[in-house]
Amino acid sequence: MVQAKTWTLTKHFDGFPKKSDFELKLEQLPEPKDGEVMLEAVFLSVDPYMRPFSRVRMNEGEVMIGAQVAKVIESKNAAFAVGSHVMGYCGWRTHTVCDATGLTPVMADWPEDVSLSLALGAIGASGLTALYGLEEVLGLQAGETLLVNAASGAVGSVVGQIAKIKGCRVVGSAGSDAKVAFLKELGFDRTINYKTVGSLDQALREAAPEGYDCYFENVGGPFSSVALPLMNDFGRVAVCGGISLYNDTTPQTGPYQHLTIIYKQLKMEGFLLTRFEHKHPESLKRLMAWMKEGKLQCREHITEGFDNMPAAFMGLLQGENTGKAIIKV
């Protein structure tokens, strides 16, 4: 009988997550039944969405939510051969017994020299989120100016690169000089360290004197309040995340930009990846092609060891990662 390690949520987060909010447990797994498989995690993902989603989609005592790339080690399902790899939202666990619901085989023609961890990042959910935010939500056009914050993260770094592929001018904001240097390596036209500039408003104005046509929002809070007045008329905003809000114990208030949105006739739209699930197969092929052509760089921040998942998650929320945060089992 296989023994699985799991990380459970012992207590809903009150402010910033603490080590005591998690508990490492052992679980004896049954043998797979007809139609089921047994999976062994190879790479696991930690993502900012886990912080707010854990409040609304989890009960205390449950295994933490999240995606992983796993190897099929036992199978009683003809669609999943032993030795094949899948992506699934199995949560923070080393082994899983489940039916095929929610499991997605890794691309059949996945190159042998490309790490399967990218199926959780730039050639997976992060890349897809960036692509759909730009194409389906913003309708980004060649020649436009795009602003993206949290630009060195898993999603933001891909957003900027795709925008450059599409012939746009890209301004990216990040929180350290090392991250800003990374954005320059990726070809961003202008970069801002929001933690060291004297005035964020002045820095954003100087980076794009003619204003911003599109804004890919990952942060929220004060940054958004500064950025919205700098949008051009009929500008579009894709609201992907709000990491500056996730650990608040008291909701942030104002300033409110309703009049700015009215007078500039802005369009703001939130979105979730699941809305565009029907496009995934073709979109993943496009992302992989860009990577093979050298147009898409895929930076990862890898933490070794399943036991370090809570620390990696908390580090992510503190901005310690550049690129996609991954746990290698």
Side-chain angles (χ1 to χ4, degrees), residues 26-207:
L26 298 178
E27 177 184 333
Q28 298 293 332
L29 296 182
E31 290 296 315
K33 301 176 183 177
D34 287 344
E36 294 184 333
V37 295
M38 181 179 289
L39 306 176
E40 182 177 68
V42 182
F43 297 103
L44 298 102
S45 177
V46 287
D47 301 279
Y49 80 83
M50 295 172 176
R51 173 60 179 84
F53 275 40
S54 66
R55 170 65 67 176
V56 297
R57 298 194 178 184
M58 287 186 63
N59 296 314
E60 293 177 351
E62 293 182 343
V63 175
M64 275 292 295
I65 55 176
Q68 61 176 250
V69 170
K71 183 178 181 179
V72 179
I73 58 173
E74 293 186 38
S75 179
K76 291 187 178 179
N77 185 317
F80 296 91
V82 171
S84 63
H85 289 85
V86 298
M87 199 285 288
Y89 287 87
C90 303
W92 292 15
R93 53 190 306 128
T94 58
H95 296 81
T96 306
V97 171
C98 61
D99 61 24
T101 304
L103 297 181
T104 304
V106 172
M107 292 170 59
D109 54 351
W110 191 277
E112 291 186 5
D113 60 344
V114 175
S115 173
L116 288 170
S117 59
L118 293 184
L120 296 170
I123 317 297
S126 304
L128 293 170
T129 300
L131 184 64
Y132 298 146
L134 291 173
E135 293 188 346
E136 305 294 333
V137 180
L138 292 176
L140 186 68
Q141 302 297 313
E144 292 188 313
T145 298
L146 169 79
L147 171 64
V148 55
N149 50 19
S152 66
V155 174
S157 60
V158 180
V159 166
Q161 293 181 83
I162 295 177
K164 291 304 299 179
I165 291 171
K166 291 180 173 292
C168 297
R169 188 170 186 275
V170 181
V171 177
S173 169
S176 75
D177 290 343
K179 292 180 178 182
V180 165
F182 171 57
L183 300 184
K184 292 178 180 177
E185 290 178 20
L186 297 182
F188 281 57
D189 295 283
R190 293 292 297 271
T191 57
I192 296 168
N193 182 343
Y194 73 91
K195 291 184 178 180
T196 59
V197 294
S199 166
L200 179 61
D201 176 81
Q202 181 179 347
L204 290 175
R205 290 180 185 275
E206 291 177 353

